Amino acid sequence: MPDLNRFRLKSFLDSLRELPNAADEIDVRAEPVRLADVAAILHDNPKAVLFEQAGAAGHALIGNALASRTRMAHAFGVSPRELLPEILKRLRGRPEIVEIEREHAPVQEVVAMGDDVDLTRLPINLQHGLDGGPYISAAVDFAHDQASGWTNIGLRRLMVRGRRETGIDLVAPSDLRVILLASLAEKKHLPLSIVVGSHPIDYFAATMRLPVDELGLMAQLRGAPLPVVKCLTNDLRVPADAEWVIEGYLDAAGYTEPEGPYGEFLGYYGGVKINPVFRVTAITRRKDAVFQTLTIGGSAMSSTDTAQLCALRTEVLAWRALESAVRDVRGIYAPPAAGGVYNLRVALQQRVPGEARNAIAAVFASVANVKNVFVVDPDIDIFSDEQIEWALGTRFQPERDLVVQGGFRTLPLDPSLDDDATTGSKAGFDLTWTFGASSRMEATTPVPPRYEGRRFESVRDALADGPKFFEDLMAAVDSGDGGDVVRALEDLRSEGTLTRDTERGRYALRGPAGE
């Protein structure tokens, strides 16, 4: 039987508490806290916050657990810069799923059914001032797709409407929306189960958009067998090692009830929409379960759970598109400050002219929904805002290097769209040197002298060996301050034997012994 604690959320939180820099990563609050106060504590907070006694029932509640690339990388056991390569490697693995008997499934240790079901007793807080109500923001949904026979997994928010029902946002295009519409066409309820409180890897798996059975995808990303258990009131299988499960169905009445407003993942409110209703039939959990909330929006987007999750998903989807378009991608990064969706940086070694444009076109056409693509040479650190600004200011000519195209699929939540827009535009910024120009002196980045190379008896002997920079001459005679080299060059100049090349400014001797 798989280890049913290795990939539980609480184990991940315990591992954060054991880090040498634990105080920078997690804030543990043992005292009781009102749910009304949770949002303000989490807002723009770079740390994960564990409330050990949240709300009237005193349940444990974690927020901001995923709200940093460092913590996401820790969940995968790598450094932040190794995170994307590790994910891509795991996606090449073979998934293994193990079904667990109900009596052995920790997530079903405590069960509420029928009249005992009461969402208002859970630690669900009002997240933003104008929200339509408290939201379950960390809801990983599991549904069965009859068309493919696969399990579909997604990440959505649920607005609590009563003790046993919520709204659910299914306006934007998604696999679950397609599955629901097929069910509504047959006038049937759609069984749905919601996991709240799971390992960060599981939440990342829920954001992906790949045409596979997503239980297998979750197992691949874990890099270990995925233990699942059948729910009590429907036939769906969910991770047996999760913290909470809310079982139910999407009502066959379909799109009937107002849902929203809600502070969305791009940092602005989404308005009221007409959406389906999720009706709850059971709630199960571990005895010591930790409930979870995902932070969404704020003035520091990179300190939200959703921006970090979206950024990773964008990188994976864009990487897959680039694999068939260009040959030597050195790295990609989606800055979470833009919600992790709309801006993407690509480091590329161009092998032939035009590859930067190929990369831009490939990302435009990908399912990642990126709006602005920045392509740089490999010497630019894509994780550095300073270096990206430098490349934009010094390697970019708008008339030559800006690519703007319209008519693309877009996300309706983009607040920059016109009210009646159904498509959007995209921009590509080619911040690479013109092909072949990077070898010019004017394209060479200054660095401190290294004083490397062969040693000689004199500056004259060094120059007899061939043209050299001043740095090379200092190294050649082991000069401590360069004054001796200046004097030697002055003497050679007086003799009429010193010259310099006009391309790179190296010193040389005239005649057969030099150039």
Side-chain angles (χ1 to χ4, degrees):
M1 180 183 295
D3 183 347
L4 296 175
N5 287 313
R6 178 184 173 191
F7 287 98
R8 73 169 294 196
L9 174 62
K10 187 175 184 298
S11 298
F12 171 73
L13 300 178
D14 289 343
S15 72
L16 292 180
R17 300 172 73 167
E18 295 170 0
L19 292 173
N21 63 331
D24 297 328
E25 297 297 340
I26 186 166
D27 176 12
V28 181
R29 304 199 175 198
E31 69 280 3
V33 63
R34 300 189 313 158
L35 291 177
D37 298 328
V38 166
I41 295 171
L42 295 176
H43 184 73
D44 291 351
N45 190 339
K47 299 180 184 180
V49 183
L50 175 60
F51 305 96
E52 293 187 331
Q53 300 181 70
H59 291 298
L61 172 67
I62 181 68
N64 282 357
L66 322 179
S68 83
R69 195 177 186 93
T70 299
R71 290 195 288 277
M72 287 300 297
H74 176 66
F76 281 88
V78 296
S79 71
R81 288 176 181 257
E82 296 170 328
L83 182 52
L84 178 59
E86 178 65 20
I87 290 171
L88 295 172
K89 181 182 75 173
R90 293 192 185 193
L91 287 173
R92 294 190 290 269
R94 296 184 62 181
E96 182 180 353
I97 299 170
V98 179
E99 187 142 3
I100 304 296
E101 295 297 327
R102 286 171 173 165
E103 59 267 25
H104 300 303
V107 76
Q108 293 180 351
E109 288 175 338
V110 180
V111 174
M113 298 176 67
D115 292 340
D116 293 332
V117 171
D118 188 350
L119 294 173
T120 66
R121 299 289 295 168
L122 305 187
I124 306 167
N125 66 294
L126 185 69
Q127 291 187 289
H128 317 105
L130 301 183
D131 287 357
Y135 270 83
I136 305 173
S137 58
V140 179
D141 52 77
F142 292 72
H144 179 70
D145 183 358
Q146 287 189 340
S148 65
W150 294 339
T151 297
N152 182 79
I153 303 175
L155 184 58
R156 257 159 282 272
R157 82 293 175 92
L158 307 172
M159 188 183 84
V160 177
R161 292 172 43 86
R163 292 179 177 86
R164 288 181 286 278
E165 70 175 48
T166 79
I168 182 170
D169 183 26
L170 281 173
V171 173
S174 69
D175 291 338
L176 181 58
R177 187 173 188 272
V178 172
I179 294 168
L180 173 63
L181 291 176
S183 182
L184 295 181
E186 298 181 5
K187 299 181 179 180
K188 294 180 179 178
H189 298 318
L190 178 67
L192 193 74
S193 287
I194 305 292
V195 166
V196 183
S198 198
H199 196 275
I201 291 175
D202 297 353
Y203 276 93
F204 173 65
T207 70
M208 293 301 295
R209 297 171 181 168
L210 299 177
V212 296
D213 188 311
E214 290 175 329
L215 279 178
L217 175 64
M218 192 172 282
Q220 283 178 293
L221 289 167
R222 284 192 180 194
L226 175 70
V228 297
V229 63
K230 186 177 289 187
C231 292
L232 300 178
T233 59
N234 59 43
D235 291 331
L236 296 167
R237 296 182 298 166
V238 296
D241 52 4
E243 303 287 331
W244 292 77
V245 172
I246 303 172
E247 301 179 13
Y249 58 88
L250 297 179
D251 197 293
Y255 290 77
T256 59
E257 298 294 337
E259 179 269 329
Y262 187 62
E264 298 287 1
F265 69 98
L266 292 176
Y268 304 91
Y269 278 99
V272 177
K273 307 166 188 175
I274 302 301
N275 264 313
V277 172
F278 173 59
R279 303 198 182 277
V280 180
T281 53
I283 300 176
T284 71
R285 64 175 175 88
R286 287 174 175 262
K287 291 178 181 177
D288 59 344
V290 179
F291 205 78
Q292 190 164 4
T293 183
L294 298 187
T295 46
I296 302 175
S299 55
M301 292 290 288
S302 58
S303 294
T304 64
D305 294 291
T306 51
Q308 294 292 341
L309 286 170
C310 288
L312 274 181
R313 178 191 64 195
T314 297
E315 290 170 21
V316 172
L317 296 177
W319 184 277
R320 289 198 156 197
L322 287 166
E323 283 181 320
S324 61
V326 290
R327 304 171 76 184
D328 199 358
V329 179
R330 299 294 178 87
I332 61 176
Y333 176 56
V341 177
Y342 283 141
N343 294 348
L344 184 76
R345 302 169 182 176
V346 179
L348 173 68
Q349 178 63 62
Q350 293 194 81
R351 296 189 178 189
V352 295
E355 285 202 303
R357 300 301 176 93
N358 273 36
I360 289 169
V363 176
F364 278 2
S366 76
V367 296
N369 289 318
V370 172
K371 184 163 65 173
N372 302 307
V373 187
F374 302 82
V375 181
V376 298
D377 296 299
D379 66 308
I380 297 296
D381 182 357
I382 55 176
F383 294 94
S384 168
D385 294 345
E386 181 169 324
Q387 292 218 345
I388 294 295
E389 288 290 324
W390 177 51
L392 179 61
T394 60
R395 305 187 187 185
F396 175 74
Q397 280 293 318
E399 184 179 36
R400 180 191 67 205
D401 299 324
L402 179 63
V403 180
V404 179
Q405 295 178 1
F408 288 97
R409 178 190 63 235
T410 188
L411 295 178
L413 283 174
D414 184 348
S416 69
L417 293 171
D418 294 331
D419 290 342
D420 58 349
T422 57
T423 59
S425 58
K426 297 177 184 283
F429 297 79
D430 183 350
L431 310 186
T432 64
W433 291 116
T434 302
F435 191 80
S438 60
S439 60
R440 296 181 298 120
M441 171 65 76
E442 292 80 5
T444 303
T445 302
V447 296
R450 298 186 179 93
Y451 307 117
E452 299 171 344
R454 292 175 55 195
R455 298 296 189 262
F456 294 86
E457 290 295 324
S458 67
V459 170
R460 185 187 298 273
D461 291 342
L463 291 176
D465 180 64
K468 289 183 173 51
F469 292 107
F470 195 90
E471 167 194 22
D472 302 325
L473 294 174
M474 285 185 65
V477 297
D478 197 21
S479 174
D481 57 18
D484 51 347
V485 175
V486 170
R487 292 189 292 272
L489 291 174
E490 183 180 39
D491 293 342
L492 292 171
R493 191 178 297 112
S494 298
E495 294 174 6
T497 58
L498 185 68
T499 187
R500 299 182 71 186
D501 68 60
T502 57
E503 180 183 353
R504 300 184 68 82
R506 294 173 299 177
Y507 294 93
L509 293 179
R510 293 183 186 277
E515 291 187 313

